[in-house]
Amino acid sequence: MIDLDPRLLSTLLAGLGAGFLVFNLYLFFQYFRNRRLQRGALVTWPPPRPPLYGLFLWVGAVLAIVIFYKLAVLRLHPKFVFGETMMLVYYVYAMPLGLKIRRGLYQEGIWTDGGYIAYGNIGGLTWRDGSHPTLVVLYRWRSFARKLIVPTPFHAEARRVLRDKIAEHEIHFTGKSLDLGQHDERDDV
């Protein structure tokens, strides 16, 4: 049988709590940023629920029981439940709040499945077909992309808004090495 030092478990939970704290703060920041951008919403929709959403809420309920047990029955100092508390905040508050962040097209940028991108930072757009149309957004200065799964009822409107943003030069693709000036950027959408 393996004997584990209780201090090791306590340290592990504190480290896990620190990671959850950072992620919770990030989700709260994203939520409040999205709330500010909602005034300029053009075409938006709620994200799909994760497949194990109910399980996440049950994990939160179990964590609440563990925290109560440690504080009320074992009478531990609150610093010893930091890790569990940060996990509870994530599963019960931050994750459901993150599901209220509406994906789509806003006046100043696109909220993808991975975060917000201002139109000025977009270096390329492309559509991928599948079960749902997916907009792939390429950063102008970075070597990675973000995707946005567009529900079918919003697909045509999203394409129209993107064409309008390109026509207004809010999304600008020129400046590439082989631009001969005869390319209509609106056709890229």
Side-chain angles (χ1 to χ4, degrees), residues 40-75:
L42 301 174
V43 182
T44 63
W45 54 89
R49 276 195 171 171
L52 300 175
Y53 182 71
L55 180 65
F56 291 151
L57 295 178
W58 277 106
V59 168
V62 169
L63 284 167
I65 293 168
V66 168
I67 292 169
F68 176 78
Y69 179 77
K70 282 185 162 185
L71 292 175
V73 176
L74 297 179
R75 301 205 181 274

Side-chain angles (χ1 to χ4, degrees), residues 2 28 38 42 70 99-100 102 104 134 144 149 170 178:
I2 299 174
F28 289 135
Q38 281 297 322
L42 301 174
K70 282 185 162 185
L99 290 175
K100 293 184 179 188
R102 296 184 64 83
T134 302
F144 66 93
I149 297 173
E170 289 191 47
L178 292 174

Side-chain angles (χ1 to χ4, degrees), residues 8-19:
L8 176 66
L9 181 60
S10 179
T11 304
L12 178 68
L13 284 172
L16 200 57

Side-chain angles (χ1 to χ4, degrees), residues 19-158:
F20 271 94
L21 173 65
V22 170
F23 199 62
N24 289 340
L25 291 174
Y26 173 75
L27 281 174
F28 289 135
F29 170 75
Q30 293 287 69
Y31 174 77
F32 289 117
R33 184 177 187 189
N34 185 264
R35 287 271 117 342
R36 183 183 56 82
L37 291 171
Q38 281 297 322
R39 287 173 268 160
L42 301 174
V43 182
T44 63
W45 54 89
R49 276 195 171 171
L52 300 175
Y53 182 71
L55 180 65
F56 291 151
L57 295 178
W58 277 106
V59 168
V62 169
L63 284 167
I65 293 168
V66 168
I67 292 169
F68 176 78
Y69 179 77
K70 282 185 162 185
L71 292 175
V73 176
L74 297 179
R75 301 205 181 274
L76 293 176
H77 190 274
K79 73 179 182 182
F80 293 111
V81 294
F82 172 73
E84 294 93 330
T85 303
M86 290 300 105
M87 287 186 269
L88 173 71
V89 169
Y90 172 76
Y91 286 117
V92 175
Y93 298 108
M95 188 191 56
L97 205 59
L99 290 175
K100 293 184 179 188
I101 296 174
R102 296 184 64 83
R103 309 301 195 257
L105 301 146
Y106 291 85
Q107 194 66 34
E108 301 169 4
I110 300 173
W111 202 288
T112 66
D113 295 335
Y116 181 76
I117 303 173
Y119 289 125
N121 294 335
I122 296 174
L125 297 170
T126 188
W127 288 95
R128 299 282 185 239
D129 292 326
S131 60
H132 292 293
T134 302
L135 177 66
V136 179
V137 182
L138 305 168
Y139 278 93
R140 182 174 299 282
W141 298 285
R142 298 181 192 163
S143 62
F144 66 93
R146 301 232 177 187
K147 68 177 184 160
L148 174 65
I149 297 173
V150 180
T152 306
F154 299 103
H155 183 234
E157 191 175 357

